[in-house]
Amino acid sequence: SSPTSSPPSSSSPPQDSHFIGKKEDIVRARRVTRLVNGCRDVLVLYHQGELHAMDMRCYHSGGPLQQGDIEEFNGRMCIVCPWHKYKITLVEGEGLYQAVEDPTAKPLKTRWRSKGIKQRIHKVTEVNGDVYVTLNSSSEAYESDTYQTERYRANQLKS
Ligand code: FES
């Protein structure tokens, strides 16, 4: 092989990504929060061998997801918001809820349903033990965007 050959692309972080920390530190802490690119509070968490990143404040009312438990519902890993127990899938940011199948049936039977994607999920990349986040810049509006504005942050600091 020629000495000038460039390293495999996996050895450099994506261009628009932001360094979050060393993987070993994130694995140890389980969760870290960062203000990414000076504009977005992101929660990066490690669970069962996987890294995930999402908006830090819950889409419902801005609850601190970094303090939520992780549980499985209907076969899907979710973070459970500590404020009102909303369940958000780690991979897609979907809001899950239990719906009554048939209100006339006894006993009542419920099944898990999705409210759609509510929490903005960001991309995590690991390069040589370093963890990077690429903000999800989709122009689609997510409800969690409400709690990422300058105005919301300023009000938080005041209170
Ligand atoms: Fe998260 Fe209400 S703020 S469930």
Side-chain angles (χ1 to χ4, degrees):
S1 63
S2 106
T4 57
S5 66
S6 53
S9 59
S10 64
S11 67
S12 55
Q15 236 176 17
D16 48 356
S17 65
H18 301 272
F19 178 68
I20 299 296
K22 289 267 168 214
K23 182 177 180 186
E24 60 189 59
D25 294 335
I26 297 172
V27 168
R28 201 176 308 123
R30 300 262 158 200
R31 294 140 197 234
V32 299
T33 58
R34 291 277 186 280
L35 180 64
V36 176
N37 203 22
C39 68
R40 198 129 195 133
D41 287 305
V42 173
L43 164 64
V44 178
L45 59 86
Y46 178 81
H47 185 72
Q48 293 185 342
E50 303 281 340
L51 288 159
H52 303 273
M54 63 178 68
D55 280 355
M56 185 182 90
R57 294 187 201 88
C58 173
Y59 73 89
H60 173 228
S61 209
L65 292 181
Q66 70 272 27
Q67 293 164 20
D69 291 330
I70 295 173
E71 289 177 49
E72 191 176 321
F73 299 96
N74 205 23
R76 300 171 76 187
M77 280 302 164
C78 296
I79 189 133
V80 181
C81 178
W83 281 7
H84 316 99
K85 307 295 174 197
Y86 277 29
K87 293 144 186 70
I88 302 167
T89 65
L90 296 185
V91 175
E92 302 88 358
E94 274 179 61
L96 297 188
Y97 71 105
Q98 265 182 312
V100 174
E101 271 193 333
D102 174 1
T104 63
K106 282 188 190 132
L108 282 180
K109 273 217 294 192
T110 59
R111 54 175 280 208
W112 287 100
R113 295 232 176 137
S114 171
K115 299 188 216 179
I117 299 176
K118 300 292 188 178
Q119 197 76 19
R120 194 179 283 264
I121 297 291
H122 305 285
K123 189 167 158 249
V124 186
T125 313
E126 187 200 331
V127 181
N128 300 330
D130 291 335
V131 173
Y132 299 82
V133 158
T134 307
L135 291 178
N136 169 356
S137 60
S138 157
S139 59
E140 196 176 327
Y142 297 98
E143 287 183 26
S144 63
D145 295 344
T146 314
Y147 305 102
Q148 293 285 350
T149 60
E150 279 305 319
R151 211 168 88 191
Y152 184 83
R153 236 192 300 277
N155 284 338
Q156 288 283 97
L157 291 176
K158 259 186 266 160
S159 59

